[in-house]
Amino acid sequence: MEINITIGSKTFAAEIEDTETGRAFVSRLPLTLTMSELNGNEKYYYLNESLPTNAQHYDVIETGDLMLYGNACVVLFYGKAGGYSYTRLGKLKQTDGLAEAVGRGSVSVTFEVAATGVSAVSSCPRQQGKMHALNGVPIGQEPSQGIFIKDGKKILK
């Protein structure tokens, strides 16, 4: 599951774990959180609701890791850390400029589901008997075998 994390004018793509915790987090999006500073390497925010957990001890936490501390504290790491137990939410795909974007002190961070897939749908009138290959190229006559599209429906022979 991909989300966008926006801090000021900078947006970071993140991949969220396909776990009970990750799905529960995504189901609450969009969220704009005022995240607080901690230890010069992380921003955190306590949610009003608990999320499912599966905490593990991490010796090393990397820049860009998005974690859950306890069952309600969302933590975004902008520097390396380690030695604590967290439930992994996900990881930023790219972290260039993350430390500059979060700055020092509290910061407003927006988490939202990334737009993917079809952005617009248009319709056109169907023409009886029209056939196309799966790649959309029109074909003149019905194939004797294979998969093709006829009248907007997939046909397998």
Side-chain angles (χ1 to χ4, degrees):
M1 297 178 280
E2 189 169 308
I3 68 168
N4 288 327
I5 300 173
T6 303
I7 307 163
S9 63
K10 190 137 175 92
T11 299
F12 300 89
E15 196 67 36
I16 298 298
E17 299 281 316
D18 188 12
T19 61
E20 186 180 4
T21 309
R23 289 186 296 273
F25 179 70
V26 169
S27 74
R28 288 160 172 78
L29 302 184
L31 286 173
T32 297
L33 310 175
T34 301
M35 301 186 82
S36 300
E37 172 66 34
L38 186 64
N39 299 326
N41 64 352
E42 64 186 86
K43 300 293 184 184
Y44 72 95
Y45 181 87
Y46 281 92
L47 300 170
N48 293 329
E49 301 175 52
S50 297
L51 297 178
T53 63
N54 184 18
Q56 298 177 24
H57 180 82
Y58 288 87
D59 289 328
V60 177
I61 296 169
E62 299 292 332
T63 299
D65 283 345
L66 183 63
M67 308 292 250
L68 183 69
Y69 180 72
N71 61 6
C73 185
V74 176
V75 183
L76 174 60
F77 286 90
Y78 64 91
K80 285 191 173 190
Y84 294 96
S85 292
Y86 292 94
T87 300
R88 179 177 295 283
L89 288 170
K91 182 159 188 71
L92 274 66
K93 291 182 170 186
Q94 183 262 36
T95 60
D96 292 344
L98 178 61
E100 294 78 15
V102 297
R104 298 290 175 199
S106 296
V107 65
S108 178
V109 180
T110 299
F111 299 85
E112 57 193 347
V113 176
T116 59
V118 176
S119 60
V121 177
S122 62
S123 64
C124 59
R126 285 201 177 139
Q127 296 178 2
Q128 288 294 97
K130 281 285 195 175
M131 292 175 283
H132 297 84
L134 289 179
N135 64 0
V137 174
I139 53 178
Q141 58 182 335
E142 190 167 313
S144 60
Q145 65 181 22
I147 302 172
F148 60 99
I149 299 169
K150 181 177 182 180
D151 297 328
K153 296 180 182 175
K154 287 184 196 169
I155 307 291
L156 171 63
K157 281 193 167 188

